[in-house]
């Protein structure tokens, strides 16, 4: 049986204790860590770049899921490949030549993801969905952790899931933003395979129990 993957987001951790945050994720049993890269232009916030990812890479075998909330993701790609990311997700709103960038990410041996903000319709990524490994549906407006999930974005997950089933495609669907114990069941029922969790994970008093609970949610069609 397939179970949902929990991807804790480093954004909600204390950056001065990033190494210890990695250990918290490892000890929780979550197989992924989600790395939010923000450039202060595509989103009104700044986080970290290649060096942070490379330094974390030396300390962990977790699956590194880099989410580029940046302009010109194509110019940043090589740095994140060299830093040891396992997956790179960029935004359709930041890239005209999405197909080319997806091909470049995959040619480097990484999983390629496409993301869309709440105001972007699913129709804008239907071509990209034919070549990606993952789609990251923003369930809040990107830029900050700790926001409330926008219910309409869960409908987009269901729409993408229906498209995947209809077209016989196999990309994974991730939900990012406002996912917690209360909202996760609806997100998984809509068709998400991967749940990014920032504040819900790092504010939890028992992250391992949280991960176990989410991993036990029944996935439709599995
Ligand atoms: C938001 C980021 C998210 C963020 C989610 O712009 O892309 O990955 O960390 O945080 P929570 O889970 O707190 O909404
Ligand atoms: Zn993210």
């Amino acid at each position: 049986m397939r179970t949902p993957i929990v991807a804790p987001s480093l954004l909600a951790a204390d950056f001065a204790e990033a190494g210890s945050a990695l250990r918290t994720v490892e000890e929780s049993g979550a197989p992924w860590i989600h790395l939010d890269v923000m450039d202060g232009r595509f989103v009104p916030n700044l986080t970290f770049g290649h060096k942070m990812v490379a330094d974390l890479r030396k300390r962990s075998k977790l699956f590194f899921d880099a989410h580029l909330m940046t302009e010109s993701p194509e110019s940043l790609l090589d740095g994140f490949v060299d830093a040891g990311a396992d997956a790179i997700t960029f935004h359709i709103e930041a890239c005209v030549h999405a197909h080319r960038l997806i091909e470049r990410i995959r040619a480097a041996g990484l999983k390629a993801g496409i993301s869309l903000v709440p105001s972007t319709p699913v129709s804008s990524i239907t071509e990209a969905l034919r070549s990606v490994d993952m789609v990251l549906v923003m369930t809040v407006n990107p830029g900050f952790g700790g926001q409330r999930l926008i219910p309409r974005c869960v409908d987009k997950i269901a729409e993408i899931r229906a498209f995947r089933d209809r077209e016989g495609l196999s990309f994974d669907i991730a939900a990012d933003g406002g996912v917690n114990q209360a909202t996760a069941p609806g997100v998984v029922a809509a068709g998400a395979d991967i749940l990014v969790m920032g504040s819900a994970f790092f504010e939890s008093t028992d992250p391992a129990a949280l991960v176990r609970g989410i991993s036990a949610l029944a996935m439709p069609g599995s």
Side-chain angles (χ1 to χ4, degrees):
M1 197 187 81
R2 291 171 66 240
T3 59
I5 290 175
V6 179
S9 169
L10 186 69
L11 183 66
D14 179 348
F15 283 4
E17 300 284 352
S20 123
L22 274 183
R23 282 192 298 283
T24 302
V25 175
E26 282 166 355
E27 286 164 11
S28 77
W32 287 30
I33 185 157
H34 183 82
L35 301 165
D36 286 308
V37 178
M38 302 186 187
D39 68 352
R41 294 175 66 87
F42 182 72
V43 288
N45 197 3
L46 285 165
T47 55
F48 50 79
H50 309 137
K51 184 170 187 301
M52 177 75 149
V53 176
D55 289 350
L56 293 172
R57 180 78 286 173
K58 291 177 214 149
R59 292 172 178 236
S60 175
K61 293 192 178 359
L62 287 166
F63 185 92
F64 276 21
D65 176 32
H67 175 195
L68 306 190
M69 281 159 279
T70 70
E71 292 183 356
S72 338
E74 56 281 352
S75 65
L76 296 170
L77 174 65
D78 293 345
F80 288 104
V81 171
D82 294 345
D86 295 296
I88 293 186
T89 294
F90 64 94
H91 275 263
I92 189 72
E93 302 87 2
C95 183
V96 174
H97 304 291
H99 183 265
R100 178 187 290 153
L101 187 51
I102 291 163
E103 295 288 299
R104 277 182 63 201
I105 297 170
R106 300 190 67 176
L110 280 68
K111 292 200 180 303
I114 190 91
S115 186
L116 72 175
V117 304
S119 62
T120 300
V122 171
S123 58
S124 72
I125 57 163
T126 46
E127 284 309 316
L129 288 179
R130 297 184 187 282
S131 52
V132 286
D133 299 294
M134 172 166 62
V135 54
L136 180 80
V137 179
M138 287 306 310
T139 40
V140 298
N141 286 291
F144 303 94
Q147 304 179 76
R148 285 171 75 91
L149 175 141
I150 300 169
R152 162 72 193 128
C153 299
V154 180
D155 301 341
K156 288 162 76 177
I157 293 174
E159 192 181 339
I160 293 168
R161 172 63 190 254
F163 178 82
R164 182 177 83 183
D165 293 349
R166 202 165 58 237
E167 300 289 325
L169 298 167
S170 59
F171 55 80
D172 284 324
I173 303 170
D176 187 6
V179 180
N180 54 38
Q181 243 164 340
T183 57
V187 169
V188 172
D193 308 283
I194 298 155
L195 305 188
V196 176
M197 288 183 132
S199 40
F201 181 88
F202 282 101
E203 287 170 13
S204 168
T205 50
D206 191 348
L210 176 69
V211 171
R212 274 197 306 277
I214 302 290
S215 305
L217 291 171
M219 297 177 81
S222 69

